[in-house]
Amino acid sequence: MQQLLIRGGRALQGEVPISGAKNAALPLLCAALLTSEAVTLHNVPRLQDVRTMLQLLQHMGVQAEHDAQGTVRLRAQQLGEPEAPYELVRSMRASILALGPLMARAGRATVALPGGCAIGSRPVDQHIRGLQAMGAEIAVEHGNIVARLPQGMSRLRGAHITTEMVTVTGTENLLMAAVLAEGETVLSNAALEPEIIDLAEMLIAMGARIEGHGTATLRIQGVEQLQGCSHSVVADRIEAGTFLCAVAATGGDVFLRGARCEHLGAVLDKLRDMGVDIECQAQGIRVRSPGAASGKLTAQSFRTTEYPGFPTDMQAQFMALNCVAQGTSTITETIFENRFMHVSELARLGAHIQADGKVAVIEGGAQLSGAAVSSTDLRASACLVIAGLVADGQTIVGELHHLDRGYEAIEAKLRGLGADIERSTA
């Protein structure tokens, strides 16, 4: 089993490149199913989730290769069986994103109900209802979503769809289904995340007709076919936010090349209120912090909400920062249940946190002390890395398969900034 060994207490200095966003790359990869022509994606992070998605696409007959420079070349010239089996999708919820493109291109699909991080229920009923509104016949049987067009129907048909809740993957799935549907589709209550804008821009480059991306209402005029394209994946705002919290906690001066301020508004506001200096530049973000040890950082309360609010994917990292900043703070998690599983691991390092349901109260100013801790999900693992960077002594972070799902070479990037961190086999 692999683990990270972290010896805390070092300020971070220098420059770090921000990788392409995992949460953008996965739907972009699935979008290649919509055309028989070649698709080239640049700035694709080398992550376990990306590898799993490529295996899934190859299983369906897609030619796919990922080079060392982060370029993925795909061609779905001839689709095989439009099926996403459980053995390939059980570890990754984003596998559901194959459903919409398969229905649009092949008119049928069998997709196993997905797994992923154990951070609470994330139902796919909104995906199913939206596709049913577009004419698909769908049943859930033996752990699979089985979808097909009814007899005599050659394409999905446009519809006006209002989701009951804001759903990122639901918006992405229905958007991809709609681009090849007959007529107009209107998606109301659509998610606003930058990753959805990135997907829409790629689809437009493929010949799709989309309006309103970046707003809560998307209008899609279906076309008969899409062409290939070349597209670069948007920078990962959650990776950037993780490094911002790491520098804030340890102290230092770091330039995050490729990070985009306009995608991190709520996080940047809280960091500035805390006492961290943030400078937005054309090529990235510069962050300077006195560090928690200075006693000059003030803990900040927040509640997670849909974009552009404070992201749930930054809750754990900011909790680690609040543990060592001064004062008492309250964090309210409104998106997922069971997303405070990192609290008990932070307590092993000396954090003072009381969690009750969706609310956690953090008593700041803790002097963290290194210990062995275990990751419980992707963002919790990043939270424990940040805590280890400021803790006295050595922290050992285990269960790294969670971390590797969403962070590309994080220990190498941190080491390049001066952190004392290495990966080893237990």
Side-chain angles (χ1 to χ4, degrees):
M1 182 181 71
Q2 290 193 323
Q3 58 189 16
L4 286 181
L5 306 180
I6 307 170
R7 287 163 286 272
R10 293 193 177 188
L12 302 180
Q13 305 282 344
E15 180 177 310
V16 62
I18 299 303
S19 299
K22 173 182 82 81
N23 290 340
L26 298 177
L28 295 176
L29 290 169
C30 287
L33 291 165
L34 292 165
T35 179
S36 62
E37 297 185 14
V39 170
T40 301
L41 294 176
H42 303 285
N43 199 34
V44 180
R46 299 186 67 83
L47 301 171
Q48 183 56 50
D49 275 10
V50 170
R51 288 189 286 271
T52 300
M53 184 64 80
L54 289 175
Q55 289 173 1
L56 177 61
L57 294 175
Q58 289 167 336
H59 173 80
M60 293 185 239
V62 180
Q63 297 174 354
E65 60 180 40
H66 193 178
D67 68 24
Q69 288 70 48
T71 296
V72 173
R73 295 175 177 84
L74 308 126
R75 186 157 193 182
Q77 188 169 13
Q78 290 184 332
L79 287 180
E81 186 63 26
E83 177 187 13
Y86 181 65
E87 57 266 24
L88 283 177
V89 307
R90 60 185 177 181
S91 65
M92 184 182 65
R93 183 179 184 271
S95 57
I96 191 66
L97 290 167
L99 181 60
L102 287 176
M103 283 302 299
R105 173 90 182 278
R108 61 192 179 96
T110 300
V111 177
L113 289 169
C117 288
I119 58 172
S121 174
R122 298 195 277 187
V124 297
D125 59 312
Q126 301 301 306
H127 306 239
I128 293 173
R129 291 174 185 172
L131 289 170
Q132 287 173 329
M134 299 172 76
E137 294 180 344
I138 301 179
V140 178
E141 52 190 44
H142 308 297
N144 296 315
I145 301 170
V146 181
R148 64 182 177 87
L149 293 177
Q151 189 172 2
M153 186 173 171
S154 61
R155 297 166 62 188
L156 292 170
R157 61 172 181 262
H160 193 145
I161 302 167
T162 302
T163 56
E164 295 177 2
M165 56 184 289
V166 176
T167 162
V168 176
T169 54
T171 300
E172 292 166 340
N173 228 344
L174 298 175
L175 173 60
M176 288 189 282
V179 293
L180 291 180
E182 183 178 358
E184 181 181 69
T185 299
V186 179
L187 299 180
S188 298
N189 202 28
L192 309 178
E193 273 73 2
E195 294 80 14
I196 291 172
I197 298 174
D198 202 33
L199 173 61
E201 289 175 348
M202 174 178 165
L203 292 171
I204 290 170
M206 296 170 70
R209 298 172 61 192
I210 303 169
E211 296 178 352
H213 42 298
T215 75
T217 301
L218 298 176
R219 291 187 177 273
I220 307 102
Q221 302 293 334
V223 298
E224 290 191 4
Q225 63 183 20
L226 296 179
Q227 63 200 24
C229 75
S230 180
H231 181 82
S232 186
V233 180
V234 70
D236 194 324
R237 61 193 171 95
I238 305 302
E239 183 193 33
T242 300
F243 276 99
L244 288 168
C245 286
V247 178
T250 64
D253 184 344
V254 173
F255 181 66
L256 281 60
R257 183 161 296 279
R260 296 174 62 170
C261 273
E262 65 268 27
H263 294 167
L264 285 160
V267 173
L268 298 184
D269 287 345
K270 290 297 178 184
L271 287 170
R272 288 183 173 118
D273 290 345
M274 180 173 275
V276 178
D277 181 39
I278 303 290
E279 182 182 342
C280 295
Q281 300 181 11
Q283 301 302 317
I285 300 174
R286 185 177 181 184
V287 52
R288 286 170 285 193
S289 172
S294 70
K296 296 180 180 179
L297 299 184
T298 304
Q300 298 297 308
S301 297
F302 62 90
R303 60 189 294 118
T304 62
T305 60
E306 293 86 359
Y307 188 86
F310 197 98
T312 181
D313 278 352
M314 282 301 304
Q315 176 255 109
Q317 302 92 307
F318 216 96
M319 182 182 286
L321 182 53
N322 271 348
C323 286
V324 294
Q326 301 299 309
T328 300
S329 60
T330 300
I331 295 176
T332 305
E333 172 59 59
T334 72
I335 306 298
F336 296 127
E337 67 270 26
N338 300 334
R339 205 162 197 184
F340 285 151
M341 292 186 290
H342 44 280
V343 167
S344 59
E345 299 302 299
L346 286 171
R348 286 181 50 78
L349 300 174
H352 305 296
I353 308 168
Q354 294 293 326
D356 184 8
K358 295 184 176 182
V359 179
V361 179
I362 302 102
E363 196 68 39
Q367 300 297 313
L368 301 184
S369 178
V373 290
S374 183
S375 304
T376 54
D377 62 71
L378 170 55
R379 304 309 172 186
S381 62
C383 153
L384 297 176
V385 169
I386 293 170
L389 291 172
V390 293
D392 292 331
Q394 179 172 273
T395 298
I396 303 172
V397 181
E399 301 292 339
L400 293 189
H401 60 280
H402 293 297
L403 189 72
D404 293 339
R405 286 186 52 230
Y407 291 93
E408 183 177 33
I410 189 170
E411 71 274 15
K413 290 183 177 183
L414 286 168
R415 199 161 47 243
L417 298 176
D420 188 345
I421 181 172
E422 61 181 307
R423 184 178 293 238
S424 70
T425 301

